[in-house]
């Protein structure tokens, strides 16, 4: 959790999950990149569905890198195997362009491991959207992150939340980061509603990818987390104007500070001792931001 606030550099805003006309999205890759660049993003990862049977590729977005805007090569990976019969959706950011398609007989766990071995930042996408269980997630190699919020799943099905899985994985001792994404396809109302703020020394693809893998980021729908620091037996937090600041931990452990326009708080850490804690804040509009977990 604290890496994002102690690492040198500045925060860069990025979307780790979106689609183009190279799979089932509407705009071309060039237009997707232009859309986010014009919206003020510092980077994106275009993650078209990588499905050889439909001719969907790992898309090369390097031609759309520009001054102040970069891309991570990415894909959404699929393989059989969740318990309720759906195919897996695994997000991989920072793949090599020659990443091989699903191999005959390859399981989702093997595919995810291959993406990890290839150096990617690997996340479990939209678990709430398709009823992914804790057992499904535990059968995978430890991923870097889980989507706490997926905008299009929220917009189209009301199932954009993945916080239940993050908490259950942490309760089982499985460390995971917390991301928010758009998963944009149409680039209408679902776009620019979930992103990550990554702390890095530069906006190069390598620096962003290293910072992601180091956990130096937080996720947001709007609010900013400016600073988090352990101050004795409390967590000191500085944010944009918030209505609620929650610290949640193992099982039902939680603590809260509420008010109007709060920008600083000291949250007691005592009840999280020996376990984990993660910060969630909400602004007046109910938009949230999520830190990565802290191990107390
Ligand atoms: Zn998906
Ligand atoms: Zn997707």
């Amino acid at each position: 959790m604290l890496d994002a606030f102690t690492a040198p550099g500045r925060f860069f805003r990025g979307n780790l999950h979106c689609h183009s006309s190279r799979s089932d999205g509407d705009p071309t890759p060039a237009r997707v990149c232009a859309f986010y660049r014009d919206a003020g993003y510092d980077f994106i990862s275009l993650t078209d569905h990588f499905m050889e049977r439909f001719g969907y590729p790992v898309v090369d977005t390097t031609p759309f890198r520009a001054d102040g805007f970069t891309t991570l090569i990415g894909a959404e990976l699929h393989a059989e195997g969740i318990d309720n019969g759906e195919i897996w959706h695994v997000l991989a950011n920072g793949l090599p362009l020659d990443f091989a398609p699903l191999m005959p007989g390859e399981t989702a766990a093997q595919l995810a491991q291959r993406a990890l071995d290839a150096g990617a930042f690997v996340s479990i996408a939209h678990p709430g959207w398709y009823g992914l269980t804790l057992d499904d997630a535990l059968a995978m190699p430890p991923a870097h992150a889980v989507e706490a919020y997926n905008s299009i799943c929220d917009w189209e099905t009301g199932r954009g939340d993945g916080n239940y899985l993050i908490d259950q994985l942490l309760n089982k001792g499985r460390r995971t980061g917390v991301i928010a994404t758009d998963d944009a396809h149409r680039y209408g109302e679902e776009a620019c509603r979930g992103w990550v703020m990554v702390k890095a020394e530069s906006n190069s693809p390598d620096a962003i990818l290293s910072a992601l893998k180091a956990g130096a980021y937080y996720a947001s729908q709007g609010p900013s987390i400016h600073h988090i620091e352990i101050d004795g037996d409390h967590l000191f937090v500085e944010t944009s104007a918030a209505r609620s600041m929650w610290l949640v931990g193992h099982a039902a452990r939680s603590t809260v500070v509420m008010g109007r326009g709060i920008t600083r708080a000291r949250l007691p850490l005592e009840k999280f001792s020996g376990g984990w804690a993660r910060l969630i804040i909400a602004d007046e509009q109910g938009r949230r931001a999520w830190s990565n977990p802290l191990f107390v």
Side-chain angles (χ1 to χ4, degrees), residues 192-216:
C192 304
R193 297 205 314 162
W195 58 87
V196 287
M197 297 297 289
V198 180
K199 182 85 166 288
E201 289 201 80
S202 81
N203 197 24
S204 72
D206 286 349
I208 296 290
L209 184 58
S210 301
L212 283 167
K213 290 199 273 185

Side-chain angles (χ1 to χ4, degrees), residues 17-19 24 47-49 76 78 89 91 125-126 147 150 152-153 181-185:
H17 189 171
C18 57
H19 298 269
D24 62 347
T47 50
D48 274 311
H49 303 284
E76 189 167 1
H78 304 280
H89 293 228
L91 201 60
H126 49 60
E147 285 181 344
N150 177 299
I152 202 167
C153 291
T181 72
D182 281 344
D183 198 359
H185 285 69

Side-chain angles (χ1 to χ4, degrees), residues 115-129:
L116 289 164
D117 292 345
F121 176 78
V122 175
S123 303
I124 292 176
H126 49 60
W129 171 71

